[in-house]
Amino acid sequence: MKVLILHPDLRDAGGVAGYYRKLDGKFSITVGHLIIGTRPGERGGVDTVRRMLSDVRLFIRKIRKENYTLVHVNPSLDPKSLLRDGLFLIIAGLCHKRTLVFIRGWKDRYENLIHRHWRWLFRGVFGRADAFIVLSQAFKRTLASWITNKPVYSAFTALDDEALAGFDMRSALEARLSAPRWRVLFISRLIKEKGLYETIDAVGMVSRHLPGVDLLVAGDGPELAPARQYVHRAGIPNVRFLGYVRGEEKAWVLRHAHLLCFPTYDEGMPNTVIECMGFGLPVITRPVGGLVDFFQDGIHGYVTDSKEPAVFAGLIRRIVEDKALYRKMALANYAFAQKNFKPCQAARRLESIYEAVSNGNHRL
């Protein structure tokens, strides 16, 4: 069996690139990679058309000459991604290759649009796939209602083994509990829909009562400059913007933060939550995507339907003011992540799906 995976450049900051970066070297079968999507320095227009044509030509050449048995695409549920990966899916079918679609990002507004208006088009293009993977049971039920005759598997995302190398949970926990200041972490692409401003406001409310609480904002995006201005105008103290972090810098942030506040509006399976659980951080978030399938309120942190900063402020205070509770949540998250989110486990799960799809045996 030989599988070709289409994904963005592994150096990119996005969740799809991060996932396959973590799985690099973990497969026991032959896996090829084809980089697709926007490249650094691409200015749109002519550059985009040229890049897309180049990607298509290279894709056709690879699947014709390198004898792949299965093509694996990774769209998000948004128009641009679906159009791009739908084209590759059609080409793979014309070349008589089996196909697997792993829908990584799931956006509620596009789910509603497809369900109401474009289900026929989605079925016409993606109904050609041999199987699907999604990141939550709710997504699985929705997709199965759109395309009724194809298997839909579920999967988790993965931790970063390199970032966790040498990490000692017990020592980190004691260091956090004895630290003079508490660090609330927000780490994501900086867009409004991730709950950035709700987090800033929540920590601002907490700091009025607990001045020893800081907010670390890690990430880049269109809201970086506006968020800096917002913090300055509102006079919210103790907010540090770290920019995009990766490698050792990211590992340092995850080791030294105390908890994650992530009031995201919608997700597939947020890598941010999985990574922070891997470092034993309690998580305060919303019931989105695949989190609904495993996240236990009061065990892994707190989950709320609310988007109100005051609600998140109250939950932050509840954790910060109760060290016994903090210890319990931190250890629970670390143990759960080690048990369920190891990259080798994610690779084995994909391999079992690849084998089932290649052989036409979908009983896993």
Side-chain angles (χ1 to χ4, degrees), residues 201-225:
D201 287 342
V203 174
M205 293 175 183
V206 171
S207 66
R208 298 171 195 165
H209 305 278
L210 301 172
V213 176
D214 299 330
L215 173 61
L216 304 181
V217 178
D220 201 355
E223 291 299 316
L224 176 58

PDB file of all heavy atoms in Angstrom, residues 201-225:
ATOM      1  N   ASP A 201     -10.766  40.642  27.743  1.00  0.00           N
ATOM      2  CA  ASP A 201     -11.698  41.254  28.700  1.00  0.00           C
ATOM      3  C   ASP A 201     -11.808  40.428  29.977  1.00  0.00           C
ATOM      4  O   ASP A 201     -11.886  40.977  31.082  1.00  0.00           O
ATOM      5  CB  ASP A 201     -13.074  41.416  28.062  1.00  0.00           C
ATOM      6  CG  ASP A 201     -13.120  42.520  27.024  1.00  0.00           C
ATOM      7  OD1 ASP A 201     -12.215  43.381  27.033  1.00  0.00           O
ATOM      8  OD2 ASP A 201     -14.048  42.517  26.192  1.00  0.00           O
ATOM      9  N   ALA A 202     -11.832  39.102  29.832  1.00  0.00           N
ATOM     10  CA  ALA A 202     -11.949  38.241  31.005  1.00  0.00           C
ATOM     11  C   ALA A 202     -10.758  38.414  31.943  1.00  0.00           C
ATOM     12  O   ALA A 202     -10.925  38.562  33.162  1.00  0.00           O
ATOM     13  CB  ALA A 202     -12.085  36.784  30.577  1.00  0.00           C
ATOM     14  N   VAL A 203      -9.557  38.422  31.385  1.00  0.00           N
ATOM     15  CA  VAL A 203      -8.367  38.584  32.220  1.00  0.00           C
ATOM     16  C   VAL A 203      -8.321  39.996  32.803  1.00  0.00           C
ATOM     17  O   VAL A 203      -7.873  40.199  33.938  1.00  0.00           O
ATOM     18  CB  VAL A 203      -7.096  38.248  31.431  1.00  0.00           C
ATOM     19  CG1 VAL A 203      -5.838  38.550  32.255  1.00  0.00           C
ATOM     20  CG2 VAL A 203      -7.109  36.774  31.017  1.00  0.00           C
ATOM     21  N   GLY A 204      -8.801  40.978  32.041  1.00  0.00           N
ATOM     22  CA  GLY A 204      -8.902  42.326  32.597  1.00  0.00           C
ATOM     23  C   GLY A 204      -9.792  42.361  33.819  1.00  0.00           C
ATOM     24  O   GLY A 204      -9.474  43.033  34.821  1.00  0.00           O
ATOM     25  N   MET A 205     -10.905  41.648  33.787  1.00  0.00           N
ATOM     26  CA  MET A 205     -11.805  41.573  34.951  1.00  0.00           C
ATOM     27  C   MET A 205     -11.125  40.865  36.116  1.00  0.00           C
ATOM     28  O   MET A 205     -11.246  41.287  37.272  1.00  0.00           O
ATOM     29  CB  MET A 205     -13.084  40.837  34.567  1.00  0.00           C
ATOM     30  CG  MET A 205     -13.947  41.567  33.566  1.00  0.00           C
ATOM     31  SD  MET A 205     -15.366  40.550  33.070  1.00  0.00           S
ATOM     32  CE  MET A 205     -16.124  41.621  31.837  1.00  0.00           C
ATOM     33  N   VAL A 206     -10.414  39.770  35.824  1.00  0.00           N
ATOM     34  CA  VAL A 206      -9.730  39.023  36.884  1.00  0.00           C
ATOM     35  C   VAL A 206      -8.676  39.882  37.555  1.00  0.00           C
ATOM     36  O   VAL A 206      -8.523  39.870  38.792  1.00  0.00           O
ATOM     37  CB  VAL A 206      -9.095  37.742  36.312  1.00  0.00           C
ATOM     38  CG1 VAL A 206      -8.201  37.069  37.351  1.00  0.00           C
ATOM     39  CG2 VAL A 206     -10.169  36.773  35.841  1.00  0.00           C
ATOM     40  N   SER A 207      -7.946  40.674  36.761  1.00  0.00           N
ATOM     41  CA  SER A 207      -6.833  41.453  37.312  1.00  0.00           C
ATOM     42  C   SER A 207      -7.289  42.541  38.276  1.00  0.00           C
ATOM     43  O   SER A 207      -6.494  43.022  39.086  1.00  0.00           O
ATOM     44  CB  SER A 207      -6.019  42.071  36.166  1.00  0.00           C
ATOM     45  OG  SER A 207      -6.782  43.039  35.460  1.00  0.00           O
ATOM     46  N   ARG A 208      -8.563  42.917  38.224  1.00  0.00           N
ATOM     47  CA  ARG A 208      -9.069  43.886  39.192  1.00  0.00           C
ATOM     48  C   ARG A 208      -9.100  43.304  40.599  1.00  0.00           C
ATOM     49  O   ARG A 208      -8.988  44.040  41.586  1.00  0.00           O
ATOM     50  CB  ARG A 208     -10.479  44.334  38.805  1.00  0.00           C
ATOM     51  CG  ARG A 208     -10.568  45.042  37.455  1.00  0.00           C
ATOM     52  CD  ARG A 208     -12.013  45.259  37.063  1.00  0.00           C
ATOM     53  NE  ARG A 208     -12.151  45.616  35.643  1.00  0.00           N
ATOM     54  CZ  ARG A 208     -13.294  45.580  34.982  1.00  0.00           C
ATOM     55  NH1 ARG A 208     -14.414  45.205  35.595  1.00  0.00           N
ATOM     56  NH2 ARG A 208     -13.326  45.901  33.705  1.00  0.00           N
ATOM     57  N   HIS A 209      -9.258  41.998  40.690  1.00  0.00           N
ATOM     58  CA  HIS A 209      -9.326  41.325  41.984  1.00  0.00           C
ATOM     59  C   HIS A 209      -8.049  40.567  42.312  1.00  0.00           C
ATOM     60  O   HIS A 209      -7.686  40.427  43.481  1.00  0.00           O
ATOM     61  CB  HIS A 209     -10.510  40.344  41.994  1.00  0.00           C
ATOM     62  CG  HIS A 209     -11.817  40.979  41.640  1.00  0.00           C
ATOM     63  ND1 HIS A 209     -12.582  41.678  42.558  1.00  0.00           N
ATOM     64  CD2 HIS A 209     -12.497  41.026  40.466  1.00  0.00           C
ATOM     65  CE1 HIS A 209     -13.686  42.123  41.962  1.00  0.00           C
ATOM     66  NE2 HIS A 209     -13.653  41.746  40.697  1.00  0.00           N
ATOM     67  N   LEU A 210      -7.379  40.076  41.274  1.00  0.00           N
ATOM     68  CA  LEU A 210      -6.152  39.296  41.452  1.00  0.00           C
ATOM     69  C   LEU A 210      -5.062  39.902  40.591  1.00  0.00           C
ATOM     70  O   LEU A 210      -4.847  39.493  39.450  1.00  0.00           O
ATOM     71  CB  LEU A 210      -6.394  37.835  41.052  1.00  0.00           C
ATOM     72  CG  LEU A 210      -7.490  37.074  41.798  1.00  0.00           C
ATOM     73  CD1 LEU A 210      -7.733  35.713  41.157  1.00  0.00           C
ATOM     74  CD2 LEU A 210      -7.131  36.907  43.261  1.00  0.00           C
ATOM     75  N   PRO A 211      -4.348  40.910  41.102  1.00  0.00           N
ATOM     76  CA  PRO A 211      -3.355  41.613  40.269  1.00  0.00           C
ATOM     77  C   PRO A 211      -2.174  40.752  39.849  1.00  0.00           C
ATOM     78  O   PRO A 211      -1.390  41.162  38.991  1.00  0.00           O
ATOM     79  CB  PRO A 211      -2.910  42.778  41.170  1.00  0.00           C
ATOM     80  CG  PRO A 211      -3.256  42.346  42.565  1.00  0.00           C
ATOM     81  CD  PRO A 211      -4.472  41.493  42.454  1.00  0.00           C
ATOM     82  N   GLY A 212      -2.026  39.571  40.424  1.00  0.00           N
ATOM     83  CA  GLY A 212      -0.903  38.705  40.076  1.00  0.00           C
ATOM     84  C   GLY A 212      -1.189  37.775  38.915  1.00  0.00           C
ATOM     85  O   GLY A 212      -0.513  36.753  38.756  1.00  0.00           O
ATOM     86  N   VAL A 213      -2.179  38.114  38.074  1.00  0.00           N
ATOM     87  CA  VAL A 213      -2.529  37.268  36.925  1.00  0.00           C
ATOM     88  C   VAL A 213      -2.172  37.984  35.624  1.00  0.00           C
ATOM     89  O   VAL A 213      -2.596  39.122  35.404  1.00  0.00           O
ATOM     90  CB  VAL A 213      -4.029  36.912  36.931  1.00  0.00           C
ATOM     91  CG1 VAL A 213      -4.394  36.127  35.671  1.00  0.00           C
ATOM     92  CG2 VAL A 213      -4.386  36.105  38.178  1.00  0.00           C
ATOM     93  N   ASP A 214      -1.388  37.329  34.793  1.00  0.00           N
ATOM     94  CA  ASP A 214      -0.986  37.877  33.498  1.00  0.00           C
ATOM     95  C   ASP A 214      -1.693  37.121  32.372  1.00  0.00           C
ATOM     96  O   ASP A 214      -2.108  35.969  32.538  1.00  0.00           O
ATOM     97  CB  ASP A 214       0.527  37.730  33.285  1.00  0.00           C
ATOM     98  CG  ASP A 214       1.335  38.462  34.327  1.00  0.00           C
ATOM     99  OD1 ASP A 214       0.855  39.488  34.835  1.00  0.00           O
ATOM    100  OD2 ASP A 214       2.453  38.001  34.635  1.00  0.00           O
ATOM    101  N   LEU A 215      -1.774  37.776  31.212  1.00  0.00           N
ATOM    102  CA  LEU A 215      -2.263  37.123  29.997  1.00  0.00           C
ATOM    103  C   LEU A 215      -1.151  37.088  28.972  1.00  0.00           C
ATOM    104  O   LEU A 215      -0.588  38.131  28.623  1.00  0.00           O
ATOM    105  CB  LEU A 215      -3.476  37.858  29.419  1.00  0.00           C
ATOM    106  CG  LEU A 215      -3.968  37.361  28.045  1.00  0.00           C
ATOM    107  CD1 LEU A 215      -4.393  35.905  28.105  1.00  0.00           C
ATOM    108  CD2 LEU A 215      -5.107  38.247  27.527  1.00  0.00           C
ATOM    109  N   LEU A 216      -0.831  35.888  28.481  1.00  0.00           N
ATOM    110  CA  LEU A 216       0.118  35.714  27.394  1.00  0.00           C
ATOM    111  C   LEU A 216      -0.670  35.427  26.119  1.00  0.00           C
ATOM    112  O   LEU A 216      -1.418  34.439  26.059  1.00  0.00           O
ATOM    113  CB  LEU A 216       1.069  34.543  27.679  1.00  0.00           C
ATOM    114  CG  LEU A 216       1.871  34.591  28.982  1.00  0.00           C
ATOM    115  CD1 LEU A 216       2.783  33.366  29.078  1.00  0.00           C
ATOM    116  CD2 LEU A 216       2.678  35.876  29.077  1.00  0.00           C
ATOM    117  N   VAL A 217      -0.525  36.275  25.116  1.00  0.00           N
ATOM    118  CA  VAL A 217      -1.205  36.093  23.838  1.00  0.00           C
ATOM    119  C   VAL A 217      -0.156  35.664  22.820  1.00  0.00           C
ATOM    120  O   VAL A 217       0.712  36.449  22.436  1.00  0.00           O
ATOM    121  CB  VAL A 217      -1.910  37.379  23.374  1.00  0.00           C
ATOM    122  CG1 VAL A 217      -2.568  37.161  22.021  1.00  0.00           C
ATOM    123  CG2 VAL A 217      -2.940  37.823  24.407  1.00  0.00           C
ATOM    124  N   ALA A 218      -0.240  34.401  22.403  1.00  0.00           N
ATOM    125  CA  ALA A 218       0.735  33.843  21.458  1.00  0.00           C
ATOM    126  C   ALA A 218       0.049  33.567  20.137  1.00  0.00           C
ATOM    127  O   ALA A 218      -0.966  32.866  20.085  1.00  0.00           O
ATOM    128  CB  ALA A 218       1.350  32.567  22.027  1.00  0.00           C
ATOM    129  N   GLY A 219       0.605  34.125  19.070  1.00  0.00           N
ATOM    130  CA  GLY A 219       0.028  33.909  17.752  1.00  0.00           C
ATOM    131  C   GLY A 219       0.127  35.161  16.909  1.00  0.00           C
ATOM    132  O   GLY A 219       0.442  36.254  17.406  1.00  0.00           O
ATOM    133  N   ASP A 220      -0.161  34.983  15.640  1.00  0.00           N
ATOM    134  CA  ASP A 220      -0.151  36.095  14.695  1.00  0.00           C
ATOM    135  C   ASP A 220      -1.460  36.066  13.922  1.00  0.00           C
ATOM    136  O   ASP A 220      -2.197  35.092  13.959  1.00  0.00           O
ATOM    137  CB  ASP A 220       1.033  35.953  13.746  1.00  0.00           C
ATOM    138  CG  ASP A 220       1.412  37.269  13.083  1.00  0.00           C
ATOM    139  OD1 ASP A 220       0.685  38.268  13.293  1.00  0.00           O
ATOM    140  OD2 ASP A 220       2.408  37.292  12.338  1.00  0.00           O
ATOM    141  N   GLY A 221      -1.748  37.155  13.233  1.00  0.00           N
ATOM    142  CA  GLY A 221      -2.982  37.213  12.464  1.00  0.00           C
ATOM    143  C   GLY A 221      -3.480  38.631  12.328  1.00  0.00           C
ATOM    144  O   GLY A 221      -2.881  39.578  12.863  1.00  0.00           O
ATOM    145  N   PRO A 222      -4.592  38.821  11.653  1.00  0.00           N
ATOM    146  CA  PRO A 222      -5.082  40.170  11.346  1.00  0.00           C
ATOM    147  C   PRO A 222      -5.497  40.977  12.572  1.00  0.00           C
ATOM    148  O   PRO A 222      -5.574  42.193  12.485  1.00  0.00           O
ATOM    149  CB  PRO A 222      -6.283  39.917  10.430  1.00  0.00           C
ATOM    150  CG  PRO A 222      -6.689  38.502  10.690  1.00  0.00           C
ATOM    151  CD  PRO A 222      -5.430  37.774  11.024  1.00  0.00           C
ATOM    152  N   GLU A 223      -5.731  40.318  13.702  1.00  0.00           N
ATOM    153  CA  GLU A 223      -6.155  41.050  14.892  1.00  0.00           C
ATOM    154  C   GLU A 223      -5.003  41.398  15.834  1.00  0.00           C
ATOM    155  O   GLU A 223      -5.256  41.934  16.920  1.00  0.00           O
ATOM    156  CB  GLU A 223      -7.214  40.254  15.660  1.00  0.00           C
ATOM    157  CG  GLU A 223      -8.543  40.151  14.943  1.00  0.00           C
ATOM    158  CD  GLU A 223      -9.199  41.506  14.700  1.00  0.00           C
ATOM    159  OE1 GLU A 223      -9.208  42.344  15.628  1.00  0.00           O
ATOM    160  OE2 GLU A 223      -9.685  41.732  13.567  1.00  0.00           O
ATOM    161  N   LEU A 224      -3.764  41.132  15.440  1.00  0.00           N
ATOM    162  CA  LEU A 224      -2.650  41.423  16.343  1.00  0.00           C
ATOM    163  C   LEU A 224      -2.558  42.907  16.657  1.00  0.00           C
ATOM    164  O   LEU A 224      -2.579  43.316  17.825  1.00  0.00           O
ATOM    165  CB  LEU A 224      -1.334  40.917  15.747  1.00  0.00           C
ATOM    166  CG  LEU A 224      -0.072  41.247  16.553  1.00  0.00           C
ATOM    167  CD1 LEU A 224      -0.158  40.692  17.969  1.00  0.00           C
ATOM    168  CD2 LEU A 224       1.179  40.707  15.842  1.00  0.00           C
ATOM    169  N   ALA A 225      -2.465  43.766  15.636  1.00  0.00           N
ATOM    170  CA  ALA A 225      -2.368  45.203  15.864  1.00  0.00           C
ATOM    171  C   ALA A 225      -3.638  45.766  16.509  1.00  0.00           C
ATOM    172  O   ALA A 225      -3.553  46.528  17.486  1.00  0.00           O
ATOM    173  CB  ALA A 225      -2.045  45.933  14.563  1.00  0.00           C
TER     174      ALA A 225
END
